[in-house]
Structures are given as structure tokens and as C-alpha cells.
Amino acid sequence: MSRVPFYLKERLKTLNERVLHETSGASGLPPWERVALTWLALMAFWVVITSSVEPRDLITGAVVTLLVSLFMRDLLTGDVRRSGHVLEKILYFALIYLPQYLVIMAFRLLESNVKVARNVIFMDINPGIVKIRTDLHSDTGVTILANSITLTPGTLTLDVKKKLDETYLYVHWIDLETLNREKAGEKIKGDIEEWLKKVFW
């Protein structure tokens, strides 16, 4: 059997990853903003862990977290969209995006718990695995989406597959309402994907 199809598939995959990386690099944050956002997140974590606001502890934390931020900048913020000023991003995330996500997840959890309880009480269970498409391409965005789907009762993300410029999630659904991929995606993802697209590419 010829290995040419496998070779071509690998070459196509490599080319697609390079194009996606270049596209994401153009839409990503500049290095200094990545360092600033990473430092802010780590500094907040430092204050929570040490539970101290004494000047000595704050200065030590600022120096340590800045050094760590210089090396970890791409790990935490490599997938964040480039839009607006860094202060604008911080304020939007802290005051609008994070509360919005928490509200969305709270309603999704409540709705899913009621549905699963109804399915269990009436023994009306129709489980199945559905393949849904997402418009997110960044690893962080897809990971948060997959985990958010898994957190809601009745759905469990089993696998993530990336093919060319498309990303698919395989989700186990306790009550398979439709086999249509688009309608199933709308029901399972809800508003979570739209929220993630504001932050991640």
C-alpha cells in the first residue's frame, strides 16, 4: 500500500497549522500586553494565596510574579484576541465578561439539572454521541468550551478533533433531542461559544 496519501495528509496538516499560527499571531496580543496580563493574573493569585497586603509581601510578590510572567506570557494569554487597549481589556473582563460568563453558566447549570432530574424521574433517557462544530480555533477557547459543556449535567465532552480550519467536539448527550449537527450544537453550546469568541480567537 502506498504511503503517498499519508504523506500528503501530514503535509496538509502541517501547512494548515502554520497558516493558523500566522493568522492567530496577527490577531494575538503584543508581547508586552501578554506579560502585563499574565503578571496581573499571577499577582492576584499571589495576594489570594498569601492573604497578605503588607508592603514587603506585595513587593516580593510583584518581583517574583513579574519574573515568572516573562517566561509564561504565552501560556496564559497566547489565545486572547487583540482588541482595544490593555486597560480596556482588563476592565471589560473583570466587570463585564467574567460576570456574564458566571451568569450564563449559572442558568445553564440550573436548566440542565432540571432536565436531568426530569429524565431520571420519568425514565425518559435517549443517550447518544453527537458531533458538533465550533468556530473557536485557539486551544484555550476550545478547552474552556469543552469543560463548560462537561460541567453542565447531561452532557460530556468526549473528544476534540481539528481538521484543516475546523474544530469538532464529540459530546455524549443524555437526551439526544436531534441528530442535526447545527441544531444540536446550538442546544449544547448555547451562549457559551458566543461569549468565548469575544475573548479568544
Side-chain angles (χ1 to χ4, degrees), residues 18 23 26 33 35 46 48 56 84 93 112 126 155 159 173-174:
R18 190 171 68 191
T23 306
E33 284 192 14
V35 170
W46 176 278
V48 169
R56 183 188 63 192
F93 187 80
S112 298
N126 180 30
T155 52
D159 196 11
W173 200 1
I174 196 171

Side-chain angles (χ1 to χ4, degrees), residues 20-186:
L20 188 61
H21 181 71
E22 289 173 359
T23 306
S24 66
S27 63
L29 299 174
W32 73 269
E33 284 192 14
R34 292 182 188 187
V35 170
L37 290 174
T38 304
W39 176 78
L40 188 67
L42 292 178
M43 190 62 197
F45 187 68
W46 176 278
V47 171
V48 169
I49 293 298
T50 60
S51 64
S52 172
V53 289
E54 292 183 15
R56 183 188 63 192
D57 293 332
L58 290 177
I59 291 169
T60 304
V63 172
V64 171
T65 54
L66 181 61
L67 290 173
V68 173
S69 299
L70 292 172
F71 295 101
M72 288 184 56
R73 67 180 189 203
D74 294 333
L75 184 64
L76 295 178
T77 58
D79 297 339
V80 178
R81 282 187 182 274
R82 177 199 295 263
S83 60
H85 193 268
V86 65
L87 292 176
E88 183 183 347
K89 272 195 255 329
I90 293 169
L91 290 174
Y92 261 89
F93 187 80
L95 301 177
I96 297 175
Y97 292 150
L98 187 59
Q100 191 178 27
Y101 176 75
L102 295 175
V103 168
I104 290 170
M105 281 304 294
F107 278 108
R108 298 269 306 167
L109 286 169
L110 182 63
E111 180 187 19
S112 298
N113 275 305
V114 170
K115 282 184 179 179
V116 170
R118 181 180 54 85
N119 290 335
V120 171
I121 290 170
F122 294 107
M123 293 302 292
D124 182 23
I125 297 174
N126 180 30
I129 296 173
V130 64
K131 177 182 177 183
I132 60 173
R133 182 179 178 276
T134 176
D135 294 329
L136 294 163
H137 298 291
S138 67
D139 292 337
T140 307
V142 172
T143 302
I144 294 174
L145 177 63
N147 287 335
S148 299
I149 289 171
T150 299
L151 277 173
T152 55
T155 52
L156 174 68
T157 305
L158 302 173
D159 196 11
V160 176
K161 292 285 183 188
K162 291 189 175 184
K163 294 182 179 178
L164 297 179
D165 62 337
E166 295 181 341
T167 305
Y168 294 96
L169 293 109
Y170 291 86
V171 179
H172 180 273
W173 200 1
I174 196 171
D175 187 18
L176 193 63
E177 297 178 20
T178 177
L179 291 174
N180 184 298
R181 188 179 297 170
E182 291 180 7
K183 290 180 180 177
E186 288 175 9

